Amino acid sequence: MTGMPIPSAKTKGIDELAVLAVNDAFYEALGSLDLAGMDAVWWHEEWVRCLHPGWDLILGWEAIQDSWKSIFRSTLQMRVAISRPLVHVMGDTAWVSCIEHLTSTVEGDFTTALVETTNIFVRRNGNWRMAHHHTTPLPGRIPSGTSQTVQ
């Protein structure tokens, strides 16, 4: 890998913190059902991708934005917390792998789920933004502290 500078530990730590801050902003927007917040964390490009649980792969920012509009419109409330965030930075690309602990009320139905997630970020002009959000439900796994029955 000639010609590629090797980041110092200090720079790498700063980049990791910056990526985690954008990742946190993504989950803040998600939990708040905040479309403007979601707009702020994504690159508005045709090459971005998103895979919601149970959906087909969504291509391009306009279609992704429409998916968030649909989700937020049909969701009365959402609580999302993440665990095990693992971040890796390689040049101007980074990814965070984490588990989403989701609780939501959608069209009168209460759901709780664990979702394995990978979020990919790209840095341009010094700004990190999301380029890909990929989710995989973890069937049969109940978040700790919850029961299988809704009371």
Side-chain angles (χ1 to χ4, degrees):
M1 294 187 139
T2 60
M4 194 172 223
I6 299 171
S8 68
K10 185 176 182 179
T11 302
K12 184 178 177 186
I14 291 170
D15 289 342
E16 288 175 353
L17 291 174
V19 169
L20 286 171
V22 178
N23 195 68
D24 289 347
F26 169 78
Y27 285 108
E28 177 64 32
L30 181 60
S32 301
L33 307 176
D34 177 8
L35 192 58
M38 197 58 73
D39 286 348
V41 299
W42 280 86
W43 286 116
H44 297 194
E45 304 286 348
E46 287 304 310
W47 47 263
V48 298
R49 305 287 187 257
C50 183
L51 185 63
H52 300 298
W55 293 44
D56 290 332
L57 181 65
I58 303 168
L59 311 173
W61 170 245
E62 287 184 22
I64 292 169
Q65 184 184 45
D66 287 345
S67 76
W68 290 120
K69 287 178 185 176
S70 176
I71 290 167
F72 292 171
R73 191 172 38 248
S74 66
T75 304
L76 300 174
Q77 63 183 21
M78 183 178 304
R79 190 180 77 191
V80 59
I82 65 167
S83 63
R84 204 212 60 220
L86 304 171
V87 63
H88 184 80
V89 177
M90 183 172 279
D92 289 330
T93 304
W95 55 93
V96 176
S97 173
C98 60
I99 297 176
E100 298 177 2
H101 304 255
L102 294 169
T103 304
S104 61
T105 306
V106 179
E107 299 173 353
D109 189 23
F110 175 83
T111 61
T112 300
L114 288 177
V115 181
E116 180 72 39
T117 303
T118 302
N119 295 320
I120 301 174
F121 302 89
V122 172
R123 177 173 44 197
R124 294 164 82 189
N125 301 318
N127 296 310
W128 289 102
R129 297 288 180 264
M130 188 170 281
H132 188 97
H133 173 67
H134 181 113
T135 58
T136 302
L138 298 171
R141 296 211 24 214
I142 305 295
S144 69
T146 62
S147 72
Q148 293 183 326
T149 59
V150 177
Q151 300 181 15

